[in-house]
Amino acid sequence: TPTSTPTPSPTATPVPSPTQTPSPIITTFIFKVRFEGVHKFRPAKEILITIQNQIQIFINKQPLTFSSDATGIYTSSEVSTNLITSDGSYDFYFNGPLHLSRKFSRNVAAGTVNTLDFTAADLLAGDIVDNDCIDIFDFNRMAAEYGTKAPATPRSDVDFDTDVDIFDYNYMIGNWGTCSEAVTSPSPGL
């Protein structure tokens, strides 16, 4: 006798649900710095910024415009990056015009706006020839421009007051022999 074989019920084929692509993490910075010798409003200045941690450099010598307030504190425009994706300690190097580069270290919260105030330590004045040291080359340039006033554009005006005078000289001599702290290479093996 023939037996009937039950026909299996159809089963639903699983359909993958679409996965959301995560939004990129954007970390934004606003920086505040002070130039030695500048204690009141002065024109905007361009500063080169490097941001790194012990593993990699995220931003390398990116020019950023800083504007002065009435007390000479310079604040940057916002800079954003999608490269900094985790909280942690980062090194910030600022290389201003006529001033030595300076390194600052701060903790950063990834994915947020970080307003970082570095005004407790001035960027030291006197690196006129931009060789990361205050030396005889800076002295020679200042000696050649000493007494120059606006409308000329003297390179040796380290306090940004439109002339090269005894104040500029004193800042340079006060920092004589000082060199910038070099950007260190990250250690990828960490």
Side-chain angles (χ1 to χ4, degrees):
T1 66
T3 58
S4 73
T5 307
T7 306
S9 309
T11 58
T13 304
V15 177
S17 59
T19 58
Q20 276 192 333
T21 304
S23 298
I25 296 174
I26 304 295
T27 304
T28 302
F29 296 100
I30 300 170
F31 303 109
K32 293 181 181 231
V33 297
R34 182 183 289 281
F35 293 106
E36 181 180 40
V38 179
H39 304 290
K40 57 185 172 181
F41 175 80
R42 297 287 188 233
K45 298 295 176 188
E46 187 174 270
I47 298 176
L48 300 179
I49 302 236
T50 298
I51 302 174
Q52 71 178 51
N53 65 10
Q54 295 209 3
I55 299 170
Q56 77 182 82
I57 294 176
F58 298 99
I59 294 175
N60 191 18
K61 295 185 178 179
Q62 177 179 328
L64 193 59
T65 300
F66 283 68
S67 299
S68 168
D69 68 10
T71 66
I73 292 176
Y74 278 76
T75 303
S76 71
S77 52
E78 285 188 1
V79 60
S80 297
T81 179
N82 63 352
L83 300 175
I84 296 177
T85 58
S86 63
D87 296 352
S89 181
Y90 293 83
D91 295 331
F92 300 86
Y93 294 85
F94 295 89
N95 184 5
L98 313 177
H99 293 72
L100 292 175
S101 295
R102 189 163 213 147
K103 173 187 169 183
F104 299 92
S105 296
R106 291 290 192 282
N107 285 324
V108 168
T112 64
V113 175
N114 294 267
T115 300
L116 303 176
D117 187 336
F118 299 115
T119 59
D122 292 350
L123 301 181
L124 298 179
D127 188 19
I128 298 161
V129 299
D130 198 23
N131 66 350
D132 294 322
C133 287
I134 299 173
D135 56 19
I136 193 64
F137 301 107
D138 303 300
F139 177 85
N140 289 341
R141 180 70 182 259
M142 184 172 282
E145 293 183 349
Y146 195 84
T148 304
K149 298 180 186 300
T153 312
R155 173 98 179 129
S156 303
D157 179 23
V158 300
D159 61 3
F160 309 144
D161 68 350
T162 71
D163 64 3
V164 181
D165 57 16
I166 192 67
F167 300 107
D168 301 297
Y169 174 81
N170 285 338
Y171 290 121
M172 181 194 61
I173 292 302
N175 296 320
W176 186 261
T178 305
C179 293
S180 294
E181 189 170 358
V183 174
T184 56
S185 297
S187 302
L190 293 177

